[in-house]
Amino acid sequence: MLTTRKWIGLTVGMLVLIVAFAALSLWQWQRAQRDRVDRPAVAASDVFVAGAPLAASAYGTRVSVTGTYDAAHQVLVAHGATFYWVVTPLQPATGEAVAVARATVSSAQDPAVSDVTAGVVTVTGVAQPFEGDPGTSATLPAGQTERLTASGLVLPYPAVGGWIALESQSPAAAVSTAAVLPPITGDSTGAIRLQNASYALQWILFAGFVVFFWVRILRDDLREVPDAPTQPAASPVREVY
């Protein structure tokens, strides 16, 4: 029966619907997770609290802050022999300074290292917590640290308990370079947009209903299949002696 035109069409249609519903469910789940990432940037002062580390609930939040770079206290965070973050403190007109990881370079002599935009700049990026606080490494040259920490920055003025992975800057830097990919994004905080998450679950349920109806129709058709006629018992052969 399953090889008939009717059941081939029903089965193919069921598979197409299941794939479509699964794709829609995945799309809604991704939208639910991107909720924090897609939000407009908020003021950095709303996220970074003076004298306190960045709250876990604020990890991955997009923030914006205006100030001037302090090139004299810039550091390179060495994540390997040929992989550095260029981290420059940004001092706003009021409030504490914030470290901005503004570029990724492969060498301490890269032009982006010395390309510190002068004057007032507005930066937008992703709020990040410090990478622990082990202190600076004695084996690294001056101006370099092995982790992006409060002690690694060595600033003579107050700074917030976290840093910003730069996404954009106005005015733009003169030297184009690779951005610092934030280790912790908005997806990592567990903050989920419940509306889209519910849509994702609904599409999974719809796929389950498709399978249920396919099985239901199959059972109904099986009940309508007439039983194979039984062959009458053969009459015993009478032997004549």
Side-chain angles (χ1 to χ4, degrees):
M1 184 183 67
L2 293 177
T3 60
T4 61
R5 181 177 300 177
K6 169 188 173 181
W7 275 100
I8 291 175
L10 283 174
T11 303
V12 171
M14 178 197 69
L15 295 175
V16 169
L17 286 175
I18 289 176
V19 172
F21 291 166
L24 289 169
S25 177
L26 177 61
W27 172 60
Q28 288 292 347
W29 178 247
Q30 290 173 339
R31 284 182 57 84
Q33 290 183 312
R34 285 201 299 267
D35 180 32
R36 292 178 61 83
V37 178
D38 291 342
R39 287 179 181 174
V42 300
S45 58
D46 293 342
V47 173
F48 293 103
V49 179
L54 182 66
S57 59
Y59 290 2
T61 302
R62 296 185 68 244
V63 297
S64 179
V65 59
T66 299
T68 56
Y69 281 125
D70 177 13
H73 292 92
Q74 175 175 281
V75 296
L76 296 181
V77 181
H79 288 297
T82 59
F83 185 80
Y84 302 89
W85 289 348
V86 182
V87 180
T88 312
L90 185 75
Q91 296 178 291
T94 59
E96 296 182 317
V98 57
V100 178
R102 58 183 184 83
T104 298
V105 297
S106 59
S107 168
Q109 289 72 43
D110 191 286
V113 175
S114 58
D115 179 35
V116 182
T117 305
V120 177
V121 297
T122 299
V123 302
T124 300
V126 182
Q128 299 289 290
F130 281 133
E131 302 179 298
D133 200 0
T136 56
S137 175
T139 61
L140 293 177
Q144 296 186 21
T145 180
E146 61 182 0
R147 292 180 183 274
L148 182 42
T149 64
S151 60
L153 289 171
V154 194
L155 299 177
Y157 42 78
V160 301
W163 55 282
I164 297 175
L166 180 67
E167 291 181 335
S168 63
Q169 171 186 303
S170 178
V175 177
S176 178
T177 185
V180 173
L181 296 179
I184 301 177
T185 64
D187 300 346
S188 304
T189 66
I192 298 298
R193 181 186 290 172
L194 295 180
Q195 182 179 14
N196 292 100
S198 66
Y199 291 159
L201 178 60
Q202 288 176 9
W203 286 116
I204 293 176
L205 294 176
F206 291 158
F209 285 141
V210 171
V211 176
F212 170 78
F213 285 123
W214 186 89
V215 173
R216 180 67 179 270
I217 296 173
L218 176 64
R219 292 180 60 183
D220 291 343
D221 279 13
L222 288 175
R223 291 193 186 99
E224 296 176 1
V225 174
D227 296 334
T230 56
Q231 298 293 333
S235 300
V237 178
R238 185 175 182 179
E239 298 182 358
V240 178
Y241 297 94

